[in-house]
Amino acid sequence: MDVFYEESAVNAGGTSEERKYNVMQVCSNIFLVLGLIMFVFFLMNMPFGAVTSEEAQAIKGLSIVVGILGATCLLTGVGLFFLKLRFNVSYDYSFVSGELRISKVFGVNRRKLLTRLDCQEVLQIGDTENASYERIKSDPMTKLVICTPNATPTGDKFFMYILVNENGKKLYVLECRETMLMHILKFARRSALESDYVMQEKKRKEV
C-alpha cells in the first residue's frame, strides 16, 4: 500500500510578502512593455546610414535617446522579474512511499522541483536544535540547502535536517511536523536517526 503525506512551509510574512511579489510583478510588466514600445520606435525611426539634413539629425538623436531609455526599461523589467522571486516563496514537501520530493514555490502557481530524495539513501536525519546538526553543518565538504522561508518554525513544526549523498554531501533543512520524520524513518536505515534526537512532544513539555 502506498504511503502519501504532504506538507508546506509557507512564509510567515504572508500578506506582506504577497504584496511585495505582486508589486514587483506589475512594475516588471510595465517596464517591459514600455521598453518594447521604445525599442520598436527606435527601429522604425532610427535613420541608418549618412544623415545630412538637420531634421534627420534631430530624429536620429531622438531615436538614440529613446533606444537608450528602452534598453534601460527592458533591463529594469528583467531585473524586477528576477527580484520578485525572492518574495512570497514557500516550499512543498511530498512523501510518496519512500521518496521525498521537495519543491520551491514562487508566488502561487510557479513551482520548481528541487530534488527527489530516496529515503534509503539518507545518511542522517534529525533536529537542527541538536549538536549533531551543528557538527554536520560545520563540515566544509557538506552543502547546506535551506528549504524553508522562515527563520523560526511556525505552529507545531520544527526544523528537520536530512543529510544525503547527492553529488557530494548535501544537508537539507525542512520546516515540518514530526509526522514527516516518522514516515521517512519507516523507509530509511535504522541508523539514520541521530542518536540525540528527542521527540517533539517531550521537548514541548520540558519548555
Side-chain angles (χ1 to χ4, degrees):
M1 182 178 178
D2 289 340
V3 177
F4 177 78
Y5 181 72
E6 189 173 30
E7 281 201 47
S8 295
V10 180
N11 198 304
T15 304
S16 175
E17 289 289 311
E18 184 178 357
R19 187 182 301 113
K20 293 176 183 177
Y21 180 91
N22 290 334
V23 169
M24 291 288 181
Q25 186 174 35
V26 171
C27 290
S28 174
N29 291 338
I30 291 173
F31 276 107
L32 288 174
V33 171
L34 286 175
L36 287 173
I37 292 173
M38 291 180 183
F39 187 68
V40 171
F41 177 90
F42 168 77
L43 291 178
M44 293 180 64
N45 294 277
M46 178 66 179
F48 296 96
V51 176
T52 56
S53 67
E54 291 185 2
E55 183 180 355
Q57 289 179 351
I59 293 175
K60 180 177 181 179
L62 177 62
S63 298
I64 291 174
V65 172
V66 172
I68 293 173
L69 289 175
T72 302
C73 286
L74 288 174
L75 290 174
T76 302
V78 172
L80 289 174
F81 174 83
F82 286 104
L83 183 61
K84 75 176 183 180
L85 300 180
R86 298 176 56 183
F87 300 99
N88 200 26
V89 173
S90 60
Y91 292 82
D92 285 346
Y93 320 125
S94 299
F95 180 84
V96 183
S97 297
E99 182 182 74
L100 177 63
R101 303 166 188 171
I102 304 175
S103 299
K104 189 173 184 178
V105 183
F106 305 94
V108 178
N109 299 318
R110 186 175 179 185
R111 178 187 301 268
K112 178 183 179 183
L113 179 65
L114 298 181
T115 188
R116 294 172 180 260
L117 301 179
D118 185 344
C119 294
Q120 293 184 346
E121 301 298 323
V122 173
L123 301 177
Q124 191 165 319
I125 187 170
D127 191 334
T128 61
E129 292 187 355
N130 295 335
S132 300
Y133 171 72
E134 295 298 331
R135 183 173 61 254
I136 297 171
K137 189 175 71 169
S138 63
D139 182 358
M141 301 301 292
T142 300
K143 180 180 179 181
L144 180 63
V145 185
I146 304 296
C147 298
T148 173
N150 301 314
T152 55
T154 58
D156 57 346
K157 298 179 181 180
F158 76 110
F159 285 155
M160 178 181 72
Y161 74 82
I162 305 176
L163 178 66
V164 296
N165 196 345
E166 188 180 59
N167 298 320
K169 288 186 178 180
K170 289 185 180 179
L171 183 61
Y172 290 92
V173 175
L174 285 64
E175 179 188 355
C176 60
R177 295 178 178 82
E178 197 170 47
T179 305
M180 178 66 78
L181 172 63
M182 296 299 104
H183 282 306
I184 293 174
L185 290 177
K186 293 176 183 178
F187 294 86
R189 294 178 297 179
R190 292 184 179 180
S191 59
L193 182 64
E194 62 181 3
S195 59
D196 51 348
Y197 185 78
V198 178
M199 299 294 290
Q200 299 302 308
E201 184 178 355
K202 183 178 179 181
K203 282 176 59 178
R204 285 191 286 270
K205 289 180 178 178
E206 292 176 350
V207 174

